[in-house]
Amino acid sequence: MKQVAVYGKGGIGKSTTSANISYILSKSGMKVAQIGCDPKHDSTRLLLKGKTQKTVLDCLNSKEDLRGEIAVTGKNGIVCMETGGPEPGVGCAGRGILTAFDYIKSHSLISEDTDIVLYDVLGDVVCGGFAVPLRKQYANIVFIVTSGEFMSLYAANNVLKGIRNFDSGDKRLAGLILNCRGNDREYEYVKNFADAVGLPIVAVIPRSGRFSAAESEGVTVCEMFPDSEEAASYDSIAEILKNPDPVLYAASPLGDDDLDLVAKGIRVVSGKTGQTVRKLEVTERSALRSCGIRAAAHCCMEILDAEIVAHGPMSCAYMYENGYDRNLLNEGNTWIPSISDRLFSSNLDDRASIFGGGKDLTALLEERISKGAKLIFVLPACVPGIIGDDTENIADAVQSRHPGVRIITIPVDGILCGGAVQGRDMAYERICGLADKTVSPRPDMVNIIGYYDSDDRILRKCDDTERILKGLGIKINCLFLHHNVSSDIAGLRRGAVNLMYSRGVPVKRGCAVIEKCTGIGYYGKPLPRGLEQTVSWIRGFSGFMGTDRESAEKLCRELENEYYKEMKPLKSSLRGVTAVVYAESSSDINWLLETFNALGIQIPEILCPTNSVWNEADETLEITRDIEIKYNMNLDDLKAELDSLRPTFFAGSSSVLSTVGYRHMILERPRPGISGCIEQAKRIVRMCRVTDYDLS
């Protein structure tokens, strides 16, 4: 069985060419099957007396059994099939080709004694779906139909690129078929391209009114005018296919520069074509950190009275659910119900990727509303974005039918908007739409942005945020996106200013988004860690808010007295301890350096690992003490430094440090204030006491 793929630009005459080839071969006694692989599904019309037929995708999308109508016998016993495609503007036609081919194969719609299977394929865009017939298991001979127009040659060159990606130098190309448009020097123009890519022109189809006359009767020109010049132009193609061992060629597509020369009529020497290297350029280092929709989902999940509709495959919803529930368990927040009680998936499958998932989404939204949902976040994954589901309009249409229901779409489309940072930004923006703009800010209230729970429940309790703010006469209005309900967000504007709970690009970007959406500004310095930062922050924020200066100084004195009182006995228990710090250059380790200094621990040097493209690390580490810093130190470099310096231990925050094989402490960044630093100091002392070296 020979399997033949006929490719070419839309409207170039592929279907006419394919039908005439099939007719000639079948007339000679060969058993032929023709499969149209174009959403227009008109490839086999000239073999069926001008009639169109049911497509494979019609069968898949119908509740009726249409299998008997998709493999139709045409002229001379030719088996005719059309893959079909989705409705215009929805779904993915390329994915439809994949599914249709699987269906044809699984239902054995082509008998094993078929001599020729001819695939008539749209060649404008050689995506993964439309490139299926190029795969070796489907096509062992490929023809490309072209004219002398540049866009036709451009499409032909794209087909060659697709073949090269599959073949790696194998020979499957029979040649070019020139379907003339009657342009000046057309043959010369196409011959230049053919020579440049190393392919012959195997047939020249003349421009003639007889083609239109035959098509108006619903037949091929070879049937209506069998002795004509037009019919004879297909003989050379038929002879190639009848040959048991035809001459075939490898794909050698042109690079962009050489194709431009061909367009200008300049000759290009075969075998010396340029190749364009495609490179993904990311100007923002945060763009590819992780899935954007997952980050957006975790933001929306923090609104505890909202339901989440994940518009995508079930696996995506599972990924969101698993991560969220695991965090709840690790943090001990067992009072919060599992997200599975309010996370629902439209469960898009292969069928939806072809025909679109709009109906599935509508049905799910209607179902959730019927069960009492009043606030729903819709999160479209990659698939809806790729196939063109208009998720926002679908959600708006459903909402319009149900007064009192709020449906908010986060239009992330999986990774299509960027990465986790961009997904979080978009979620912040849409969630801020719940804020009541009529609420006036109170000068004694603030919002905390970026609060997070810690797996270390002891350190979690060592949080002086409320104590510091209370000492300044300020209350917390909202921990934004931390176990909120929608009324918390509605009252967000009661906070006069937003405070960053920690240092980092995502938190700062989040504050900027909130300011843009609600008008609530943010204080430029994150909540402090350690005594020095805390005292400085209290004084600065007191001045920023205009609170009582004397109360701020009193609070600073209380914290200083408490800090030194706790640290003094801890320091007296240590003698001659040295420590190396291993931390990313984006880290805030001033609290740790201050703690080591208060304990009398010497720090010979700080080592920073190589920054990867996956983090947002700064190029240099910002510290307030004069300590040598070495950058771009991998774990092998770390081992070498430890062997050379022989410190008592080394400290960092990554669990990978356990693989180094040296005494170490993995120290989590404490909560704001001094209590967390004091707790970490106590742990350091305990660690030193239980080791087997002399500290006296």
Side-chain angles (χ1 to χ4, degrees):
M1 180 191 295
K2 285 186 176 130
Q3 300 191 92
V4 183
V6 178
Y7 271 87
K9 178 183 176 294
I12 199 61
K14 298 180 306 302
S15 297
T16 300
T17 299
S18 298
N20 278 283
I21 294 171
S22 293
Y23 182 85
I24 292 176
L25 293 173
S26 65
K27 192 74 173 174
S28 69
M30 300 182 78
K31 190 169 184 178
V32 180
Q34 180 167 322
I35 302 175
C37 306
D38 189 322
K40 297 197 308 293
H41 62 276
D42 61 353
S43 174
T44 58
R45 186 176 64 85
L46 300 182
L47 303 173
L48 297 172
K49 297 182 180 180
K51 298 178 181 178
T52 57
Q53 63 178 112
K54 295 288 185 181
T55 70
V56 177
L57 295 186
D58 286 338
C59 180
L60 289 171
N61 199 33
S62 174
K63 296 180 181 179
E64 302 177 16
D65 186 358
L66 303 177
R67 280 180 290 180
E69 300 180 49
I70 62 176
V72 181
T73 302
K75 295 291 178 66
N76 304 328
I78 299 170
V79 177
C80 300
M81 283 180 274
E82 297 279 358
T83 62
E87 290 293 322
V90 298
C92 175
R95 181 61 201 169
I97 300 289
L98 283 164
T99 303
F101 272 52
D102 289 341
Y103 183 90
I104 291 170
K105 184 177 180 180
S106 64
H107 289 80
S108 302
L109 297 182
I110 299 175
S111 62
E112 294 183 0
D113 61 345
T114 302
D115 298 307
I116 297 284
V117 180
L118 192 147
Y119 302 100
D120 172 15
V121 195
L122 178 66
D124 289 277
V125 181
V126 189
C127 70
F130 287 107
V132 170
L134 294 180
R135 298 178 184 178
K136 293 180 182 179
Q137 67 264 40
Y138 290 114
N140 43 36
I141 299 176
V142 179
F143 291 94
I144 302 176
V145 182
T146 187
S147 70
E149 297 166 323
F150 175 73
M151 290 310 297
S152 176
L153 294 176
Y154 179 84
N157 197 58
N158 273 349
V159 174
L160 294 177
K161 289 180 179 180
I163 295 172
R164 183 184 62 187
N165 289 338
F166 283 116
D167 285 0
S168 301
D170 293 346
K171 298 179 179 180
R172 286 195 293 151
L173 278 157
L176 302 178
I177 299 172
L178 170 55
N179 193 25
C180 295
R181 294 294 179 90
N183 299 329
D184 292 340
R185 301 175 63 192
E186 187 169 25
Y187 180 84
E188 180 182 339
Y189 194 60
V190 175
K191 185 67 166 62
N192 184 23
F193 174 77
D195 291 343
V197 297
L199 292 176
I201 299 175
V202 297
V204 178
I205 313 299
R207 184 175 180 83
S208 167
R210 286 177 172 171
F211 286 100
S212 298
E215 290 182 11
S216 66
E217 297 297 324
V219 296
T220 63
V221 76
C222 291
E223 180 181 358
M224 189 169 182
F225 305 103
D227 299 321
S228 66
E229 176 191 357
E230 291 82 358
S233 64
Y234 293 102
D235 289 343
S236 58
I237 303 172
E239 291 304 315
I240 291 172
L241 295 177
K242 292 176 183 178
N243 188 340
D245 189 22
V247 178
L248 300 175
Y249 304 84
S252 299
L254 301 180
D256 291 347
D257 292 340
D258 287 339
L259 190 60
D260 184 58
L261 294 177
V262 168
K264 296 173 181 175
I266 301 172
R267 291 194 59 78
V268 177
V269 180
S270 176
K272 295 185 179 180
T273 58
Q275 295 185 9
T276 302
V277 178
R278 298 187 65 83
K279 180 181 179 182
L280 175 65
E281 294 185 359
V282 181
T283 56
E284 187 172 5
R285 296 173 67 180
S286 63
L288 298 177
R289 284 187 62 121
S290 63
C291 176
I293 194 64
R294 184 178 183 182
H298 282 202
C299 292
C300 297
M301 289 173 184
E302 293 296 335
I303 310 299
L304 301 182
D305 57 343
E307 291 194 358
I308 314 298
V309 167
H311 185 39
M314 180 66 78
S315 56
C316 292
Y318 172 78
M319 181 175 66
Y320 317 150
E321 175 184 344
N322 182 261
Y324 187 84
D325 280 351
R326 187 173 62 248
N327 288 340
L328 291 180
L329 289 174
N330 291 341
E331 296 159 1
N333 290 316
T334 54
W335 62 274
I336 299 176
S338 169
I339 190 62
S340 60
D341 295 338
R342 51 192 184 91
L343 172 63
F344 307 92
S345 173
S346 58
N347 196 18
L348 295 187
D349 55 13
D350 192 56
R351 176 181 169 279
S353 70
I354 300 166
F355 299 106
K359 293 180 180 178
D360 299 299
L361 176 59
T362 299
L364 180 56
L365 290 173
E366 292 285 0
E367 176 189 338
R368 297 317 311 159
I369 292 170
S370 71
K371 293 184 182 297
K374 296 298 183 183
L375 175 61
I376 303 173
F377 288 103
V378 178
L379 299 156
C382 301
V383 173
I386 293 170
I387 65 178
D389 280 357
D390 193 348
T391 307
E392 287 197 83
N393 278 340
I394 292 169
D396 290 346
V398 174
Q399 179 179 279
S400 68
R401 296 194 289 270
H402 300 279
V405 172
R406 185 82 178 268
I407 303 177
I408 300 174
T409 302
I410 315 295
V412 182
D413 290 338
I415 61 171
L416 302 185
C417 76
V421 173
Q422 287 76 18
R424 190 184 298 111
D425 287 353
M426 203 169 290
Y428 273 38
E429 179 182 327
R430 294 304 173 98
I431 291 170
C432 282
L434 295 170
D436 186 346
K437 298 295 180 64
T438 65
V439 172
S440 300
R442 288 178 48 176
D444 63 338
M445 281 193 165
V446 296
N447 303 312
I448 306 293
I449 312 300
Y451 178 86
Y452 58 91
D453 281 324
S454 169
D455 296 351
D456 189 326
R457 300 179 196 181
I458 295 176
L459 275 183
R460 192 194 310 172
K461 294 178 180 178
C462 299
D463 190 329
D464 294 330
T465 302
E466 288 192 52
R467 176 186 177 185
I468 292 170
L469 294 176
K470 184 178 180 181
L472 296 174
I474 294 172
K475 301 174 184 177
I476 297 174
N477 173 49
C478 176
L479 295 177
F480 183 75
L481 296 191
H482 182 74
H483 309 332
N484 301 129
V485 291
S486 54
S487 59
D488 295 334
I489 309 302
L492 190 65
R493 281 177 48 87
R494 277 193 293 269
V497 67
N498 291 327
L499 299 180
M500 295 183 285
Y501 190 73
S502 60
R503 169 184 171 181
V505 172
V507 178
K508 191 169 185 178
R509 286 178 61 129
C511 285
V513 172
I514 296 169
E515 181 174 19
K516 176 183 176 183
C517 297
T518 66
I520 308 170
Y522 64 96
Y523 186 56
K525 293 184 177 181
L527 288 169
R529 272 77 172 169
L531 180 63
E532 293 175 2
Q533 280 189 18
T534 300
V535 169
S536 175
W537 190 91
I538 290 171
R539 289 169 176 160
F541 189 63
S542 174
F544 178 81
M545 295 293 287
T547 64
D548 182 60
R549 205 71 174 165
E550 186 176 334
S551 297
E553 289 302 321
K554 178 183 177 183
L555 177 61
C556 290
R557 289 194 297 272
E558 289 176 357
L559 293 171
E560 287 173 338
N561 292 336
E562 181 179 333
Y563 185 83
Y564 292 125
K565 179 182 178 181
E566 293 284 350
M567 287 296 190
K568 185 175 181 179
L570 295 174
K571 179 179 180 180
S572 64
S573 64
L574 301 179
R575 293 289 188 276
V577 177
T578 59
V580 168
V581 177
Y582 190 70
E584 289 185 347
S585 56
S586 59
S587 304
D588 174 15
I589 62 169
N590 285 305
W591 69 270
L592 180 59
L593 303 183
E594 181 185 34
T595 301
F596 281 170
N597 182 64
L599 294 175
I601 297 175
Q602 298 299 311
I603 307 171
E605 62 186 24
I606 299 170
L607 308 178
C608 294
T610 302
N611 290 332
S612 76
V613 297
W614 304 107
N615 66 33
E616 297 149 0
D618 299 320
E619 296 303 320
T620 57
L621 180 68
E622 296 180 6
I623 59 174
T624 56
R625 283 170 169 74
D626 186 16
I627 302 172
E628 181 182 5
I629 304 173
K630 293 184 178 180
Y631 295 97
N632 298 318
M633 305 294 285
N634 58 33
L635 291 182
D636 289 333
D637 297 326
L638 172 60
K639 291 178 182 178
E641 290 293 315
L642 294 174
D643 289 339
S644 173
L645 296 170
R646 307 302 299 172
T648 306
F649 66 95
F650 76 98
S653 59
S654 173
S655 58
V656 75
L657 301 183
S658 302
T659 66
V660 175
Y662 198 92
R663 291 185 300 270
H664 65 279
M665 284 198 72
I666 298 175
L667 298 171
E668 179 182 329
R669 188 166 183 248
R671 319 300 272 182
I674 63 170
S675 298
C677 297
I678 293 170
E679 172 60 28
Q680 291 286 34
K682 292 176 180 178
R683 295 182 181 187
I684 293 169
V685 171
R686 286 198 297 270
M687 187 275 289
C688 291
R689 285 175 176 169
V690 299
T691 52
D692 58 357
Y693 44 82
D694 184 13
L695 297 179
S696 60

